[in-house]
Amino acid sequence: VSVRWRLPDGSVRNGTSLTWVVPAAVGNAFTVVAEATDKDGNTGRRAQSLSLPPPELAEATGLVFIEAEELAAEGGGKAKVCHPVNVANASISYWHQDIGHWLEWEFQAPADGTYELWMRYTTGCSGTRRSLLIDGKSPGSVFADIAIPTTGGWCTDRDQWVTMRLGTTLELAAGKHRMRMTNLADGLGVDFFILRPSP
């Protein structure tokens, strides 16, 4: 009969649904608590950790999503499809045992132009590194050895996803492309990549 929402900025809202503009001071990762009461006075409580995309992605249009579990090819090892906390569909992980283990994905660029590449990922490692090729070629020196900061864990019991931009912009022709990412060091779980037209 009633639902109360406890928000990370200290405010409380009532109602069966919640619309809330997250203040900048709260950041992109936080926990929301819902407390529900039924007609007999019984109560239940649920805490949910959440992570939001950066504002550049939240406000963007024309995004292309590349689901990590939809591999086009793989070599030098074997990744696993996983379902950690707050994953969108599924993710890939176990991509750490073999240096040189590579994964490939196909995607469509909707038009000729300049794009940014973003990745939603999780890792408990502090030395994760990957290299990236587009259509068999390096799109720039910054993609030869990408340092990927730890998120503090693997989303096993709470949301530890982070969305980061990879390298500089990419110049792509309209049509199909293939992206290869290779393990240079340590573990990485990936939910999806996002191709964003550069503003």
Side-chain angles (χ1 to χ4, degrees):
V1 295
S2 68
V3 179
R4 173 172 288 184
W5 304 86
R6 298 189 180 277
L7 304 174
D9 63 355
S11 64
V12 175
R13 303 281 180 88
N14 293 302
T16 55
S17 63
L18 172 69
T19 300
W20 180 55
V21 178
V22 182
V26 169
N28 288 351
F30 53 86
T31 300
V32 173
V33 178
E35 298 171 340
T37 303
D38 70 13
K39 62 181 177 59
D40 297 319
N42 301 307
T43 60
R45 185 175 190 271
R46 172 72 185 265
Q48 180 67 54
S49 59
L50 301 167
S51 60
L52 300 179
E56 302 98 306
L57 295 178
E59 298 166 2
T61 58
L63 301 178
V64 176
F65 286 82
I66 306 161
E67 290 289 346
E69 70 275 14
E70 295 177 4
L71 294 173
E74 177 177 21
K78 183 65 178 170
K80 293 183 182 179
V81 175
C82 303
H83 297 85
V85 171
N86 283 357
V87 70
N89 300 316
S91 66
I92 56 95
S93 195
Y94 293 85
W95 185 16
H96 64 283
Q97 294 179 336
D98 301 299
I99 302 301
H101 178 187
W102 55 265
L103 308 176
E104 286 186 348
W105 300 267
E106 290 186 342
F107 65 91
Q108 290 276 345
D112 293 355
T114 304
Y115 293 87
E116 299 168 355
L117 183 64
W118 295 72
M119 175 177 70
R120 187 176 194 240
Y121 76 97
T122 185
T123 179
C125 301
S126 58
T128 300
R129 294 170 27 243
R130 296 292 186 272
S131 65
L132 185 103
L133 300 175
I134 301 289
D135 300 326
K137 299 176 183 176
S138 174
S141 59
V142 296
F143 294 97
D145 193 342
I146 305 166
I148 301 171
T150 185
T151 65
W154 299 95
C155 297
T156 52
D157 59 356
R158 60 193 172 97
D159 190 324
Q160 293 167 306
W161 295 108
V162 169
T163 304
M164 72 174 283
R165 182 176 164 185
L166 300 175
T168 55
T169 55
L170 305 170
E171 296 296 327
L172 297 173
K176 185 184 291 186
H177 296 274
R178 185 171 282 228
M179 176 175 67
R180 174 181 289 201
M181 189 172 267
T182 301
N183 175 21
L184 302 181
D186 275 336
L188 180 67
V190 182
D191 189 358
F192 53 76
F193 298 93
I194 300 173
L195 195 66
R196 176 194 183 216
S198 188

